[in-house]
Amino acid sequence: MNYELRQQGESRSFPAGDPFLAGAVDGADVIIYLGAPFEADDNVAVILIELGTDCLGVHTGENAGREGSNVLGFARYRNGDDPPSNLIELVRQPGTQESAINAAKALFEVAGFEVVVCTDQVGRIVDRLVRPKYNVALQFLDEGLATAADMDLTCRLGLGYADGPIERLERGGLRHHYDVSKALFDIYATPTFAPARRAAIAKQREDL
Amino acid sequence: MKSNIKTVGVCGAGGTMGAGIAIVAARAGFETRCFDTSHEALDRARAQTDSFFNKSVDRGKVSAEDRDIALGRLQPTTTIDDLSDCDLVIEAVFEDLSTKQTLLSKLDQACKPETIFASNTSTLSITEIASGCERSDRVVGMHFCLPAQLMKLIEMSPGLNTSQETFKAAWAWTQIAGQQPVKTQDKPGFILNALLVPFNNDAIRAVEAGVASPADIDKAIKVGLNYKMGPLELIDLVGLDTQILLCDAFYPITLDPRASAPPLLRRMVAAGRLGRKSGTGFYNYADNAMFGG
């Protein structure tokens, strides 16, 4: 399936040199926005807008739960500075055309990605679920529940994780965790999303 | 590494966890007394233990001779006084504070004064469990992971009154037994369950909020975070009723909203959707259909 890219600045999903960028052609029936200003177009099969911590509704507008068209949001999951994973989170609205969803799924699956579909929520699936856990792990570290190494080892040995929460945060960058958690907290206002102290410190140091 | 511990008792040895712990002890060369109040449970556990060791022989992990020696170290009993000369007694009985306190009180009477008591609790306070006996300085948390005979990790927690000597002796024993101990404070859920139970609840709440289907939530977590199993698959495996028990153990102590049982979880249990064991949970194991998709 052919796709056209409209890019402005660096994409977190497809950094410079990513093979997916090389497959783009002009005039395709799928338009992918990577940072460029979005323009509606009902004449193409699907329009995809790369999201960060923003919702799709910011770009398309919302209409009392009736919003939806041929436009979907997406993000390739990435742990901060780590390379992007193979996961594409597709973001739909209540009235999104099924044909557009199917076309978007097919496009990314043909390109070798694993695709999931979720509603238009800050943090989509992964960040919504994992950020509270990371906040708690950082809180445990402050409270002396265990050392960082023991917490990570426990998750690897006890849960079979590839890496533990602290080493993952350190590798991806605590400031990224702050940014994502802050975006979640700003929308949901539940303490579980409030950035943990160590993430806030990392962010403040970045701003020095 | 040296240890004064030669003989180990396991309480609740007729259960899955207790039987696994007994295997760990016997395999490592310790005389092991397997205590349970039920003859039938002990017989069942023994059959499972025989099967486990036979498979280990078939796979070349243990020689037939070592299997026979290890099995010979396991001595079943329904009499608590048979634990009197144990150097270490590990309890893996029902996860209920008064049950464990009562057991420790009886062990206190039955065992020699030097015996160390270890609790395999996953959610309860070691300090509170230890208050059930007169030797709280000789009680330690020793939380194995299921299946204990395969999982190396043990969360080790001292209670407020646990002596350093006791903790060191118990720690050394876990290492001699071939396990990997990690030290945690005596807090609800220690590390593992304190991170896992609320995370799993969050996944249930995401289903309830219509964020995505169970299959897509699990897929996102597995692919995005490189986990072997998604949270909803895991809950189905552990049992939705067990997840409620964990929540009901955590929430009253922590008052953490993430630890409270989500309404959807309670509704599903009420509907008999307990996960794999009932054939339906977040997934339908009869035809692979999905709940809430």
Side-chain angles (χ1 to χ4, degrees), chain A residues 114-115 117-119 144-145 192, chain B residues 184-185 210-211 216 219 227 258:
Chain A
E114 301 269 4
V115 183
V117 180
C118 62
T119 55
L145 176 70
T192 186
Chain B
T184 84
Q185 290 178 342
V211 172
D216 272 358
K219 186 177 179 182
Y227 288 6
R258 293 178 66 230

Side-chain angles (χ1 to χ4, degrees), chain A residues 29-106:
Chain A
D29 204 27
V30 177
I31 301 173
I32 302 176
Y33 284 89
L34 303 175
F38 156 67
E39 293 175 27
D41 184 348
D42 294 337
N43 296 316
V44 297
V46 58
I47 294 173
L48 291 157
I49 302 175
E50 185 185 29
L51 302 175
T53 55
D54 49 338
C55 280
L56 177 60
V58 171
H59 304 273
T60 62
E62 296 188 336
N63 182 22
R66 295 184 291 269
E67 61 272 14
S69 60
N70 64 340
V71 182
L72 285 98
F74 81 96
R76 186 175 172 191
Y77 187 73
R78 191 170 174 183
N79 174 47
D81 294 331
D82 273 358
S85 71
N86 206 37
L87 175 71
I88 297 283
E89 293 176 299
L90 275 182
V91 176
R92 64 167 297 164
Q93 294 170 314
T96 301
Q97 298 161 8
E98 290 300 321
S99 60
I101 295 171
N102 292 335
K105 283 184 75 171

Side-chain angles (χ1 to χ4, degrees), chain A residues 77 85-87 89 105 109 114-119 121 124-126 128-130 132-134 136-137 140 143-147 150-151 153-155 157-163 165 168 192, chain B residues 145 151-153 155 171 180-187 190-192 194-196 199 202-203 205-206 209-213 215-217 219-221 223-228 231 234 256 258:
Chain A
Y77 187 73
S85 71
N86 206 37
L87 175 71
E89 293 176 299
K105 283 184 75 171
E109 285 173 352
E114 301 269 4
V115 183
V116 296
V117 180
C118 62
T119 55
Q121 308 277 336
R124 296 173 289 277
I125 299 173
V126 179
R128 177 193 176 105
L129 294 182
V130 83
K133 187 192 318 197
Y134 292 165
V136 167
F140 286 167
E143 293 172 355
L145 176 70
T147 65
D150 275 353
M151 265 196 272
L153 183 63
T154 298
C155 289
L157 289 184
L159 300 172
Y161 293 176
D163 46 21
R168 193 171 173 84
T192 186
Chain B
C145 297
M151 301 286 278
K152 293 288 181 194
L153 183 77
E155 292 177 298
W171 181 278
Q180 172 65 62
V182 295
K183 185 179 179 183
T184 84
Q185 290 178 342
D186 179 20
K187 289 188 175 174
F190 310 114
I191 302 170
L192 206 63
L195 290 175
L196 187 64
F199 175 70
D202 287 346
R205 290 194 177 91
V211 172
S213 68
D216 272 358
I217 288 172
K219 186 177 179 182
I221 293 300
V223 178
L225 302 178
N226 209 7
Y227 288 6
K228 288 179 180 169
L234 181 58
D256 171 10
R258 293 178 66 230

Side-chain angles (χ1 to χ4, degrees), chain B residues 10 12-13 15-22 92 120 143-149:
Chain B
V10 178
T16 305
M17 181 61 96
I21 294 170
N120 181 57
H143 177 224
F144 290 74
C145 297
L146 268 174
Q149 67 274 23

